[in-house]
Amino acid sequence: MKFGKRLKQQIQDSLPEWRDKFLSYKELKKLVKLISAAPTRRNESWRSRNESLKYGKAESDFVYLLDIEIDKFNGFFMEQEEEFVIRHENLKQKIKRVVDLWGPNGIHPSEENYKEEMEKIRKAIVDFHGEMVLLVNYSNINYTGLAKILKKYDKRTGGLLRLPFIQKVLVQPFFTTDIISNLVKECESIIDTVFPAEEAAERAKEAIVVAGEGIFRNTVKALLTMQEIRKGSSTQSPFSLPPLNLPDSDLIQSIQLNAAVPIV
Amino acid sequence: MSSSSPVLPTPLDNKYMKPPDSFQLSPIREMTVNPSPLQSTSSNSNTRSTGHTFSSPDVVSFSSASQHERQHQPSSFVSQTLGEDSVSSELHSATFISQPQESDEISWGPDPFQDMLGFPENVSVQHDQVENGACYTNDDNVKQSDFGEWVDKLMSIDDSYDPNWSQLLGDDNESEPKPKPIQQQNVPSKEVKGLPSSPSTASQTKPRMRWTPELHEAFVEAVNQLGGSEKATPKGVLNLMKVKGLTIYHVKSHLQKYRTARYKPETPEGTSEKKLSSIEEMKSLDLKTSKGITEALRLQMELQKRLHEQLEIQRKLQIQIENQGKRLQMMFEQQREMGDSKFKDSSSSSLDEPSNSEAPKEENEKLGSESCITKAGPGESSRDESTKQEMADEAQISVPPPTKRVKT
């Protein structure tokens, strides 16, 4: 139930619109339990019809639900992806406009306006970047959940669903996150141009205090959750992910989530 | 099995467009396939659709379950079992009915999956009519009743839809090089994926387009040419973009999103209101300087970068793990098959005949030769055992080559 709990936590900590788009892990687990509770082999004809029907139903329900979930992921993911693509382009254009208009070499150089706009833009970009990363996280955590539930299924029913099914999942749109990853990287390079030159010093300390709102909070939580999930599998196998090695994990932990700011 | 990957897109291209040299669309969903009946073989498809009403409810539910997969896998299965041309409906339903039983074996057969694995690479390759048949059956099985409805809808959406279509056809050869797929994946830069959120009409009319940055760029350019997001019409944009498989529906919804995004810029007042409390907090913590905010943003950025990095690593790992697993599985199965045939060969003389016929079925010729060895000494237990040994040794040695052969 560890993963289930973590997943629940993640869901709670995620953006509100996203909350019902995650994997219905619990539901699937119930079905697996149901299937293994009526372990009639279809081949054994002497079993009562009812039992084998129940078995068959639970199993088909399971598969059906899996399919529905995958569709859900795909739909949501691609929708978000589309929006991000649009927003990305808009941001770039906006930056261009601001620079062209109020920038030092612009038509109408105005340091004050420029500064003000740039500040807004910076915040927007960072948040945008964060949202995209959270989408990638969404994709990943759902994948993880699927892998786990399939593993459970195979274990409980002795079936061979996992391997072929996961192969299909690997090529699903929601898991092929290259577009978003590219956007994220582009964002990072834009940020470098938009941020003033680095100034060392106490930024970490100050910043920590400010932290804990919105997207940032989500990101911190996501990282921590990932760390937890990969802490060490009770059923270590060639299919298990190694534990997460996060440098600065204490820093992250210290960015406490004493967030008084509710996520809106 | 169809010689080409189970991809549904290009059948449309095949039938109705000249061999495209650039932009390829891979409508995994049948949305774009369906328009074709409007053009020509409407009677043909109608026959198919009516044919499928024969399918039993079980079959339909199965196919709708498989529909939900969002994958070509079922269709590949279908395309394997069904012919490309109008096959008798009985055959359709018969083969379809047989599938649920097979599906009971949990895995839907390794073959379609292997086929599918080839998918990303083959998407832009021309495919033959087989997929065309698959497309039809796929849809028809689930949405036969809705097909007519859908067709009507489509016709009413845009009166000049046909001319659009032929224009797409005509412009086929001059499709812009700009939107050319430049993805590191072998997937073309856009795919149309249907979204069978429910086996109802909704899914048919809501195919999912994957908007890539390149595609969007082309979109924006078209919009700008038409005088901006307000003035631009979906039809106009569609025509300008000249992208295969792009339907007016896609453009419409995308345009809508685009418009909302423009007039709700990235730095809206709304969010600043929400963040007001946090801004207050910041101020109260004596961080009035923009420098402080900037630094905070930097930290946020760092963390996000970190998360993203880890996610990418994790994803790669996951993919690797599964590939490994796949290979292991294949090798394991091979070993088992060889083990089985060995066992059968050496178990008794009476089994010699069937075992001999079995062994040649294996892809490995060596196995066939091994069974010949056994035939030489039937019924003699000691001899059998030694033969078994030999075969075991040979089997060990012969494992590597078969692996190469089995891998498609």
Side-chain angles (χ1 to χ4, degrees), chain A residues 67 71 74 79 81-82 87 93-94 119 126-127 129-130 140 161-162 166 168 171-173 175-176 178 181 185 188 196 203 210 216 220 226 230 244 247 261, chain B residues 65 68-71 106 116 185 193 208 210-211 254 257 262 266-267 281-282 287 290 295 298 300-301 303-306 308 310 312 314-315 318 322 329:
Chain A
D67 287 340
D71 284 339
N74 282 339
E79 180 123 22
E81 194 182 58
E82 187 178 349
R87 275 165 71 181
Q93 286 183 7
K94 177 155 187 168
E119 268 175 30
V126 173
D127 277 351
H129 179 270
N140 204 284
L161 180 59
R162 202 190 91 83
I166 210 77
K168 281 189 303 167
V171 297
Q172 292 297 313
F175 192 65
T176 49
D178 295 284
S181 287
K185 294 194 184 116
E188 285 164 17
R203 52 179 175 123
V210 184
F216 185 54
V220 170
M226 199 199 285
R230 280 171 61 171
L244 189 60
V261 184
Chain B
H68 287 268
E69 291 231 273
R70 216 20 17 266
Q71 259 302 350
I106 295 164
M116 240 168 11
Q185 278 182 304
K193 296 184 204 294
R208 246 299 160 220
R210 194 152 196 199
W211 284 90
H254 194 71
K257 285 204 167 95
R262 295 225 93 179
E266 195 65 30
T267 55
E281 215 180 279
M282 292 200 296
L287 293 169
S290 59
E295 294 315 320
R298 260 197 234 277
Q300 181 177 345
M301 191 63 196
L303 213 72
Q304 285 165 192
K305 264 187 180 164
R306 190 73 56 75
H308 186 235
Q310 292 299 331
E312 286 201 295
Q314 183 158 315
R315 180 164 175 266
Q318 285 164 334
E322 292 307 326
Q329 176 82 345

Coordinates of all heavy atoms in Angstrom, one line a residue, chain A residues 67 71 74 79 81-82 87 93-94 119 126-127 129-130 140 161-162 166 168 171-173 175-176 178 181 185 188 196 203 210 216 220 226 230 244 247 261, chain B residues 65 68-71 106 116 185 193 208 210-211 254 257 262 266-267 281-282 287 290 295 298 300-301 303-306 308 310 312 314-315 318 322 329:
Chain A
D67 N -7.5 0.1 -19.8 CA -7.6 0.8 -21.1 C -8.2 2.2 -20.9 O -7.7 3.1 -21.5 CB -8.5 0.0 -22.1 CG -7.8 -1.2 -22.6 OD1 -6.5 -1.3 -22.5 OD2 -8.4 -2.2 -23.1
D71 N -6.4 5.8 -21.8 CA -7.0 6.8 -22.6 C -7.1 8.1 -21.8 O -6.9 9.2 -22.4 CB -8.5 6.4 -23.0 CG -8.4 5.3 -24.1 OD1 -7.4 5.3 -24.8 OD2 -9.4 4.6 -24.2
N74 N -3.8 9.7 -21.9 CA -3.4 10.2 -23.2 C -4.2 11.5 -23.4 O -3.6 12.5 -23.9 CB -3.8 9.2 -24.3 CG -2.7 8.1 -24.3 OD1 -1.6 8.3 -23.9 ND2 -3.1 7.0 -24.9
E79 N -3.8 17.1 -24.2 CA -4.5 18.4 -24.1 C -3.5 19.4 -23.4 O -3.3 20.6 -23.9 CB -5.7 18.3 -23.2 CG -6.5 19.5 -23.0 CD -7.9 19.3 -23.4 OE1 -8.4 18.2 -23.4 OE2 -8.6 20.4 -23.7
E81 N -0.3 19.2 -23.2 CA 0.8 19.4 -24.1 C 0.5 20.5 -25.1 O 1.3 21.4 -25.4 CB 1.1 18.1 -24.8 CG 2.4 18.0 -25.5 CD 2.5 16.7 -26.2 OE1 1.7 16.4 -27.1 OE2 3.5 16.0 -25.9
E82 N -0.7 20.4 -25.7 CA -1.1 21.4 -26.7 C -1.1 22.8 -26.1 O -0.6 23.7 -26.7 CB -2.5 21.0 -27.2 CG -3.0 21.9 -28.4 CD -4.4 21.4 -28.8 OE1 -4.8 20.4 -28.4 OE2 -4.9 22.2 -29.6
R87 N 1.4 28.1 -25.1 CA 1.9 29.1 -24.1 C 3.4 29.4 -24.4 O 3.8 30.5 -24.2 CB 1.6 28.6 -22.7 CG 0.3 28.9 -22.2 CD 0.0 28.0 -21.0 NE 0.7 28.5 -19.8 CZ 0.6 27.9 -18.6 NH1 -0.2 26.9 -18.5 NH2 1.4 28.3 -17.6
Q93 N 7.1 35.1 -27.8 CA 6.7 36.3 -28.5 C 6.6 37.5 -27.6 O 7.0 38.6 -28.0 CB 5.3 36.1 -29.2 CG 5.5 35.2 -30.5 CD 4.1 35.1 -31.2 OE1 3.2 35.7 -30.9 NE2 4.1 34.2 -32.2
K94 N 6.1 37.2 -26.4 CA 5.9 38.3 -25.5 C 7.3 38.9 -25.1 O 7.5 40.1 -25.0 CB 5.2 37.8 -24.2 CG 5.1 38.9 -23.2 CD 3.9 38.7 -22.3 CE 3.8 39.9 -21.4 NZ 2.6 40.0 -20.7
E119 N 10.3 41.2 -14.9 CA 10.0 40.5 -13.6 C 8.8 39.6 -13.7 O 8.8 38.5 -13.3 CB 9.8 41.5 -12.5 CG 11.0 41.9 -11.7 CD 10.8 43.0 -10.7 OE1 9.7 43.0 -10.2 OE2 11.7 43.7 -10.4
V126 N 9.2 30.8 -15.0 CA 9.6 29.8 -14.1 C 8.4 28.9 -13.7 O 8.4 27.7 -13.6 CB 10.2 30.4 -12.8 CG1 10.4 29.4 -11.7 CG2 11.5 31.1 -13.2
D127 N 7.2 29.5 -13.5 CA 6.0 28.8 -13.2 C 5.7 27.9 -14.4 O 5.2 26.7 -14.2 CB 4.9 29.7 -12.9 CG 4.9 30.2 -11.4 OD1 5.7 29.6 -10.7 OD2 4.1 31.1 -11.1
H129 N 7.6 26.6 -16.6 CA 8.6 25.6 -16.6 C 8.2 24.5 -15.6 O 8.2 23.3 -15.8 CB 10.0 26.1 -16.3 CG 11.1 25.1 -16.2 ND1 11.4 24.5 -15.0 CD2 11.9 24.7 -17.1 CE1 12.4 23.7 -15.2 NE2 12.8 23.8 -16.5
G130 N 7.8 25.0 -14.4 CA 7.4 24.1 -13.4 C 6.2 23.3 -13.7 O 6.1 22.1 -13.5
N140 N 5.1 10.2 -15.5 CA 5.9 9.2 -14.9 C 5.3 8.4 -13.7 O 5.4 7.2 -13.6 CB 7.2 9.8 -14.4 CG 8.3 8.8 -14.3 OD1 8.4 8.0 -13.4 ND2 9.2 8.9 -15.3
L161 N 0.3 -10.9 -18.3 CA -0.2 -9.6 -18.9 C 0.9 -8.5 -18.9 O 0.9 -7.7 -19.8 CB -1.4 -9.2 -18.1 CG -2.1 -7.9 -18.6 CD1 -2.6 -8.0 -20.0 CD2 -3.3 -7.5 -17.7
R162 N 1.7 -8.6 -17.9 CA 2.5 -7.4 -17.7 C 3.4 -7.1 -18.8 O 3.4 -5.9 -19.3 CB 3.4 -7.7 -16.4 CG 3.9 -6.4 -15.8 CD 4.9 -6.7 -14.8 NE 6.2 -6.8 -15.4 CZ 6.9 -5.7 -15.6 NH1 6.5 -4.5 -15.2 NH2 8.1 -5.8 -16.1
I166 N 2.9 -3.6 -20.9 CA 3.8 -2.5 -20.6 C 4.5 -2.0 -21.8 O 4.8 -0.9 -22.0 CB 4.8 -2.8 -19.4 CG1 5.2 -1.6 -18.7 CG2 6.0 -3.5 -20.0 CD1 4.1 -1.1 -17.7
K168 N 3.2 -1.9 -24.7 CA 2.3 -1.0 -25.3 C 2.3 0.4 -24.7 O 2.3 1.4 -25.3 CB 0.9 -1.5 -25.3 CG 0.6 -2.6 -26.4 CD -0.8 -2.9 -26.4 CE -1.3 -3.4 -25.1 NZ -2.8 -3.5 -25.0
V171 N 4.8 3.1 -25.6 CA 4.7 3.9 -26.8 C 3.5 4.8 -26.8 O 3.2 5.5 -27.7 CB 4.7 3.1 -28.1 CG1 6.0 2.3 -28.2 CG2 3.5 2.1 -28.1
Q172 N 2.8 4.8 -25.7 CA 1.7 5.7 -25.6 C 2.1 7.2 -25.6 O 3.1 7.5 -25.1 CB 0.9 5.4 -24.3 CG 0.2 4.1 -24.3 CD -0.8 3.9 -25.3 OE1 -1.6 4.8 -25.5 NE2 -0.7 2.9 -26.1
P173 N 1.2 8.0 -26.1 CA 1.5 9.5 -26.1 C 1.8 10.0 -24.7 O 2.8 10.8 -24.6 CB 0.2 10.1 -26.6 CG -0.5 9.1 -27.3 CD -0.1 7.7 -26.8
F175 N 3.3 8.7 -22.4 CA 4.6 8.4 -21.9 C 5.7 8.9 -22.8 O 6.9 9.0 -22.4 CB 4.7 6.8 -21.7 CG 6.0 6.4 -20.9 CD1 6.1 6.8 -19.6 CD2 7.0 5.7 -21.5 CE1 7.2 6.4 -18.9 CE2 8.1 5.3 -20.8 CZ 8.2 5.7 -19.5
T176 N 5.4 9.2 -24.0 CA 6.4 9.8 -24.9 C 6.5 11.3 -24.7 O 5.8 12.0 -25.4 CB 6.1 9.4 -26.3 OG1 4.8 9.8 -26.6 CG2 6.3 8.0 -26.6
D178 N 8.8 13.5 -25.1 CA 9.9 14.3 -25.6 C 9.5 15.7 -26.0 O 10.3 16.6 -25.8 CB 10.3 13.6 -26.9 CG 10.9 12.2 -26.6 OD1 12.0 12.2 -26.1 OD2 10.2 11.2 -26.8
S181 N 9.6 17.6 -22.8 CA 11.0 17.8 -22.3 C 11.8 18.8 -23.1 O 12.6 19.6 -22.6 CB 11.7 16.4 -22.4 OG 11.2 15.6 -21.4
K185 N 13.5 22.2 -21.8 CA 14.9 22.6 -22.0 C 15.0 24.0 -22.6 O 15.8 24.8 -22.3 CB 15.6 21.6 -22.8 CG 15.8 20.3 -22.0 CD 16.8 19.3 -22.7 CE 16.7 18.0 -21.9 NZ 16.3 16.9 -22.7
E188 N 14.5 26.5 -20.2 CA 15.7 26.8 -19.3 C 16.7 27.7 -20.0 O 17.3 28.6 -19.4 CB 16.4 25.4 -19.0 CG 15.6 24.7 -17.9 CD 16.0 23.2 -17.8 OE1 17.1 22.9 -18.4 OE2 15.2 22.4 -17.2
P196 N 18.9 38.2 -14.8 CA 20.1 39.0 -14.8 C 21.3 38.1 -14.3 O 21.1 37.0 -13.8 CB 19.8 40.0 -13.7 CG 18.7 39.4 -12.9 CD 17.9 38.6 -13.8
R203 N 21.4 33.8 -1.4 CA 20.1 33.6 -2.1 C 19.4 32.4 -1.5 O 18.2 32.4 -1.3 CB 20.3 33.4 -3.5 CG 21.4 32.4 -3.9 CD 21.4 32.3 -5.4 NE 22.5 31.5 -5.9 CZ 22.2 30.5 -6.7 NH1 21.0 30.2 -7.0 NH2 23.2 29.7 -7.1
V210 N 11.0 32.0 1.3 CA 9.9 32.5 0.4 C 9.2 31.3 -0.2 O 8.0 31.3 -0.6 CB 10.5 33.3 -0.7 CG1 9.4 33.8 -1.6 CG2 11.3 34.5 -0.2
F216 N 6.0 25.6 -7.0 CA 7.2 25.3 -6.3 C 7.0 24.2 -5.3 O 7.7 23.2 -5.2 CB 7.8 26.5 -5.7 CG 9.2 26.3 -5.1 CD1 10.2 25.8 -5.8 CD2 9.4 26.6 -3.7 CE1 11.4 25.6 -5.3 CE2 10.6 26.4 -3.2 CZ 11.7 25.9 -3.9
V220 N 8.6 20.4 -5.1 CA 9.4 19.8 -3.9 C 8.7 18.5 -3.5 O 9.4 17.5 -3.3 CB 9.3 20.8 -2.8 CG1 9.9 20.2 -1.5 CG2 10.2 22.1 -3.1
M226 N 9.2 11.0 -5.2 CA 9.9 10.2 -6.1 C 11.0 9.4 -5.3 O 11.2 8.2 -5.4 CB 10.6 11.0 -7.2 CG 11.0 10.1 -8.4 SD 12.2 10.9 -9.4 CE 11.2 12.0 -10.3
R230 N 11.2 5.3 -4.6 CA 12.3 4.5 -5.1 C 13.2 4.0 -3.9 O 14.2 3.5 -4.1 CB 13.0 5.2 -6.1 CG 12.4 5.2 -7.4 CD 13.0 6.1 -8.4 NE 14.4 5.8 -8.6 CZ 15.1 6.3 -9.6 NH1 14.6 7.2 -10.3 NH2 16.4 6.0 -9.7
L244 N 16.6 6.4 -5.5 CA 16.9 7.7 -6.1 C 18.1 8.3 -5.3 O 18.1 8.3 -4.1 CB 15.7 8.5 -6.0 CG 15.8 9.9 -6.7 CD1 16.0 9.7 -8.2 CD2 14.5 10.6 -6.4
P247 N 21.2 14.5 -4.9 CA 22.1 15.4 -4.2 C 21.3 16.5 -3.6 O 20.2 16.8 -4.1 CB 23.0 15.9 -5.3 CG 22.3 15.7 -6.5 CD 21.4 14.6 -6.4
V261 N 0.7 28.7 2.7 CA -0.1 29.1 1.6 C -0.7 27.9 0.9 O -0.1 27.0 0.5 CB 0.9 29.7 0.5 CG1 0.1 30.3 -0.7 CG2 1.7 30.8 1.2
Chain B
A65 N -13.4 -2.7 -25.8 CA -12.3 -2.8 -24.7 C -11.0 -2.6 -25.4 O -10.2 -1.9 -24.9 CB -12.4 -4.1 -24.0
H68 N -10.2 0.8 -26.4 CA -9.8 1.8 -25.4 C -8.3 1.7 -25.2 O -7.7 2.5 -24.5 CB -10.5 1.4 -24.1 CG -11.9 1.8 -24.1 ND1 -12.4 3.0 -23.6 CD2 -13.0 1.1 -24.5 CE1 -13.7 3.0 -23.8 NE2 -14.1 1.9 -24.3
E69 N -7.7 0.8 -25.9 CA -6.3 0.7 -25.7 C -5.5 1.9 -26.3 O -4.4 2.1 -26.1 CB -5.8 -0.6 -26.4 CG -6.3 -1.7 -25.7 CD -5.2 -2.7 -25.4 OE1 -5.0 -3.5 -26.3 OE2 -4.6 -2.6 -24.3
R70 N -6.2 2.5 -27.2 CA -5.5 3.6 -27.8 C -4.3 3.1 -28.6 O -3.3 3.8 -28.7 CB -5.1 4.5 -26.7 CG -5.0 6.0 -26.9 CD -5.8 6.7 -27.9 NE -6.9 6.1 -28.5 CZ -6.8 5.4 -29.7 NH1 -5.8 5.4 -30.3 NH2 -7.8 4.8 -30.3
Q71 N -4.4 1.9 -29.0 CA -3.2 1.4 -29.6 C -3.6 0.7 -30.9 O -4.8 0.3 -31.1 CB -2.5 0.4 -28.7 CG -1.3 1.0 -28.0 CD -0.3 1.5 -29.0 OE1 -0.4 1.2 -30.2 NE2 0.7 2.3 -28.6
I106 N -4.8 -13.9 -21.6 CA -4.2 -12.7 -21.1 C -3.4 -11.9 -22.1 O -3.8 -10.8 -22.4 CB -3.4 -13.0 -19.8 CG1 -4.3 -13.5 -18.7 CG2 -2.7 -11.7 -19.4 CD1 -3.5 -14.2 -17.6
M116 N 4.0 -4.0 -33.1 CA 3.8 -2.7 -32.6 C 5.1 -2.1 -32.2 O 5.2 -0.9 -32.3 CB 2.9 -2.8 -31.4 CG 1.7 -2.0 -31.6 SD 0.6 -2.4 -30.3 CE 1.6 -3.3 -29.2
Q185 N 12.4 11.1 -32.1 CA 11.7 9.9 -32.3 C 11.4 9.7 -33.7 O 11.4 10.6 -34.5 CB 10.3 10.0 -31.6 CG 10.4 9.8 -30.1 CD 9.0 9.9 -29.5 OE1 8.3 10.9 -29.7 NE2 8.5 8.9 -28.9
K193 N -4.7 10.9 -33.0 CA -5.1 9.7 -32.2 C -6.5 9.9 -31.7 O -6.9 10.9 -31.2 CB -4.2 9.7 -31.0 CG -2.7 9.4 -31.4 CD -1.9 9.3 -30.2 CE -0.5 9.6 -30.5 NZ 0.1 8.6 -31.4
R208 N -7.8 12.9 -31.7 CA -6.8 13.7 -31.0 C -5.6 14.0 -31.8 O -5.0 13.1 -32.4 CB -6.3 12.8 -29.8 CG -6.5 13.3 -28.5 CD -6.0 14.5 -28.0 NE -6.9 14.8 -26.8 CZ -7.4 15.9 -26.5 NH1 -7.1 16.9 -27.2 NH2 -8.2 16.0 -25.5
R210 N -1.9 15.5 -32.1 CA -0.7 15.8 -31.3 C 0.0 17.0 -31.8 O 0.7 17.0 -32.8 CB 0.2 14.6 -31.2 CG 1.2 14.8 -30.0 CD 1.6 13.5 -29.5 NE 2.2 13.7 -28.2 CZ 3.1 12.8 -27.6 NH1 3.3 11.7 -28.3 NH2 3.6 13.0 -26.5
W211 N -0.2 18.1 -31.1 CA 0.3 19.4 -31.6 C 1.8 19.5 -31.2 O 2.1 19.8 -30.0 CB -0.5 20.6 -31.1 CG -1.8 20.7 -31.8 CD1 -3.0 20.1 -31.5 CD2 -2.0 21.4 -33.0 NE1 -3.9 20.5 -32.5 CE2 -3.4 21.3 -33.4 CE3 -1.2 22.2 -33.9 CZ2 -3.9 21.9 -34.5 CZ3 -1.8 22.8 -35.0 CH2 -3.1 22.6 -35.3
H254 N -7.9 24.0 -31.8 CA -6.6 24.6 -31.5 C -6.7 26.1 -31.6 O -6.1 26.8 -30.8 CB -5.6 24.1 -32.5 CG -4.2 24.4 -32.1 ND1 -3.6 23.8 -31.1 CD2 -3.3 25.3 -32.6 CE1 -2.3 24.2 -31.0 NE2 -2.1 25.1 -31.9
K257 N -8.2 27.5 -28.5 CA -7.2 27.5 -27.4 C -6.2 28.6 -27.6 O -5.9 29.3 -26.6 CB -6.4 26.2 -27.4 CG -7.1 25.0 -26.8 CD -6.1 24.0 -26.3 CE -6.8 22.9 -25.5 NZ -7.2 21.7 -26.2
R262 N -4.1 33.9 -25.9 CA -3.6 35.2 -26.3 C -4.2 36.3 -25.4 O -3.5 37.2 -25.0 CB -3.9 35.5 -27.7 CG -3.2 34.6 -28.7 CD -2.6 35.4 -29.8 NE -1.3 35.7 -29.5 CZ -0.5 36.4 -30.4 NH1 -1.0 36.8 -31.5 NH2 0.7 36.7 -30.1
E266 N 0.3 35.2 -20.3 CA 1.0 34.4 -19.4 C 1.1 35.1 -18.0 O 1.2 34.5 -17.0 CB 2.4 34.1 -19.9 CG 3.1 33.0 -19.2 CD 2.4 31.6 -19.4 OE1 1.8 31.5 -20.4 OE2 2.4 30.8 -18.5
T267 N 1.1 36.4 -18.0 CA 1.2 37.1 -16.7 C -0.1 37.8 -16.4 O -0.2 39.0 -16.4 CB 2.3 38.2 -16.8 OG1 2.0 39.0 -17.9 CG2 3.7 37.5 -17.0
E281 N 3.5 37.8 2.0 CA 4.4 37.1 2.9 C 5.8 37.5 2.6 O 6.6 37.7 3.5 CB 4.2 35.6 2.6 CG 4.3 34.7 3.8 CD 4.2 33.3 3.4 OE1 3.0 32.9 3.3 OE2 5.2 32.6 3.2
M282 N 6.1 37.5 1.3 CA 7.4 37.9 0.9 C 7.8 39.3 1.5 O 8.9 39.5 2.0 CB 7.6 37.9 -0.6 CG 7.5 36.5 -1.2 SD 8.2 36.4 -2.8 CE 7.1 37.4 -3.7
L287 N 11.7 41.0 2.1 CA 12.3 40.7 0.8 C 11.7 41.6 -0.2 O 11.2 41.1 -1.3 CB 12.1 39.3 0.5 CG 12.9 38.3 1.4 CD1 12.4 36.9 1.2 CD2 14.3 38.4 1.2
S290 N 13.6 43.2 -5.5 CA 13.3 42.3 -6.6 C 14.4 41.2 -6.7 O 14.2 40.2 -7.2 CB 13.2 43.1 -7.9 OG 14.5 43.7 -8.2
E295 N 16.0 35.7 -6.7 CA 16.7 34.6 -6.2 C 15.8 33.5 -5.8 O 16.1 32.3 -6.0 CB 17.5 35.1 -4.9 CG 18.6 36.0 -5.2 CD 19.5 35.6 -6.4 OE1 19.8 34.4 -6.6 OE2 19.8 36.5 -7.3
R298 N 15.1 31.7 -8.8 CA 16.2 30.9 -9.2 C 16.2 29.6 -8.5 O 16.4 28.5 -9.1 CB 17.5 31.6 -8.9 CG 18.1 32.3 -10.1 CD 19.6 32.6 -9.8 NE 19.9 34.0 -10.0 CZ 20.1 34.5 -11.2 NH1 20.2 33.8 -12.2 NH2 20.4 35.8 -11.3
Q300 N 13.7 28.1 -7.2 CA 12.5 27.3 -7.8 C 13.0 26.7 -9.1 O 12.7 25.5 -9.3 CB 11.4 28.3 -8.0 CG 10.1 27.5 -8.5 CD 8.9 28.5 -8.7 OE1 8.9 29.6 -8.2 NE2 7.9 28.0 -9.4
M301 N 13.6 27.4 -9.9 CA 14.1 26.9 -11.2 C 15.0 25.8 -11.0 O 14.9 24.7 -11.6 CB 14.8 28.1 -11.9 CG 15.0 27.8 -13.3 SD 13.5 27.5 -14.2 CE 14.1 26.7 -15.6
L303 N 15.3 23.7 -8.6 CA 14.6 22.5 -8.1 C 13.8 21.9 -9.2 O 13.8 20.6 -9.4 CB 13.6 22.9 -7.0 CG 13.5 21.8 -6.0 CD1 14.7 21.7 -5.2 CD2 12.3 22.1 -5.1
Q304 N 13.2 22.7 -10.0 CA 12.4 22.1 -11.1 C 13.3 21.4 -12.1 O 13.0 20.4 -12.6 CB 11.6 23.3 -11.8 CG 10.4 23.7 -11.0 CD 9.8 25.0 -11.5 OE1 9.0 25.6 -10.8 NE2 10.3 25.5 -12.6
K305 N 14.4 22.0 -12.4 CA 15.4 21.4 -13.2 C 15.8 20.1 -12.7 O 15.9 19.1 -13.4 CB 16.7 22.3 -13.3 CG 16.8 23.2 -14.5 CD 18.1 23.8 -14.5 CE 18.3 24.8 -15.6 NZ 19.5 25.7 -15.4
R306 N 16.0 20.0 -11.4 CA 16.4 18.8 -10.8 C 15.4 17.7 -10.9 O 15.7 16.6 -11.3 CB 16.6 19.1 -9.3 CG 17.2 18.0 -8.5 CD 18.7 17.9 -8.7 NE 19.4 19.2 -8.5 CZ 19.7 19.6 -7.3 NH1 19.3 19.0 -6.2 NH2 20.3 20.8 -7.1
H308 N 13.1 17.5 -13.2 CA 13.0 17.1 -14.6 C 14.1 16.2 -14.9 O 13.9 15.1 -15.6 CB 13.1 18.4 -15.5 CG 12.8 18.0 -16.9 ND1 13.7 18.4 -17.9 CD2 11.9 17.4 -17.5 CE1 13.3 18.0 -19.1 NE2 12.1 17.3 -18.9
Q310 N 15.7 14.2 -13.0 CA 15.5 12.9 -12.4 C 14.4 12.1 -13.1 O 14.5 10.9 -13.3 CB 15.1 13.0 -10.9 CG 16.2 13.5 -10.0 CD 17.3 12.6 -10.0 OE1 17.2 11.4 -10.2 NE2 18.5 13.1 -9.8
E312 N 13.7 12.4 -16.3 CA 14.2 11.8 -17.5 C 15.0 10.6 -17.3 O 14.9 9.6 -18.0 CB 15.1 12.9 -18.2 CG 14.2 14.0 -18.8 CD 15.0 14.7 -19.9 OE1 16.0 15.4 -19.6 OE2 14.6 14.7 -21.1
Q314 N 14.8 8.6 -14.8 CA 13.9 7.5 -14.4 C 13.2 6.9 -15.6 O 13.1 5.7 -15.7 CB 12.8 8.0 -13.4 CG 11.9 7.0 -12.9 CD 11.3 7.4 -11.6 OE1 11.9 7.9 -10.7 NE2 10.0 7.2 -11.4
R315 N 12.8 7.7 -16.5 CA 12.1 7.3 -17.7 C 13.0 6.4 -18.5 O 12.6 5.3 -18.9 CB 11.6 8.4 -18.5 CG 10.9 8.0 -19.7 CD 10.0 9.1 -20.3 NE 9.5 8.6 -21.5 CZ 10.0 8.8 -22.7 NH1 11.1 9.5 -22.8 NH2 9.5 8.2 -23.8
Q318 N 13.4 3.1 -16.9 CA 12.2 2.3 -17.0 C 12.1 1.6 -18.4 O 11.8 0.4 -18.5 CB 10.9 3.1 -16.8 CG 10.7 3.4 -15.3 CD 9.7 4.5 -15.1 OE1 9.5 5.4 -15.9 NE2 9.1 4.5 -13.9
E322 N 12.4 -2.5 -19.2 CA 11.4 -3.2 -19.9 C 12.0 -3.9 -21.2 O 11.7 -5.0 -21.5 CB 10.3 -2.3 -20.3 CG 9.4 -1.9 -19.2 CD 8.9 -3.0 -18.3 OE1 8.7 -4.1 -18.8 OE2 8.8 -2.8 -17.1
Q329 N 12.7 -12.4 -21.5 CA 11.5 -13.2 -21.7 C 11.6 -14.1 -23.0 O 11.3 -15.2 -23.0 CB 10.3 -12.3 -21.8 CG 9.0 -13.0 -22.1 CD 8.3 -13.6 -20.9 OE1 9.0 -13.7 -19.9 NE2 7.1 -14.0 -21.0

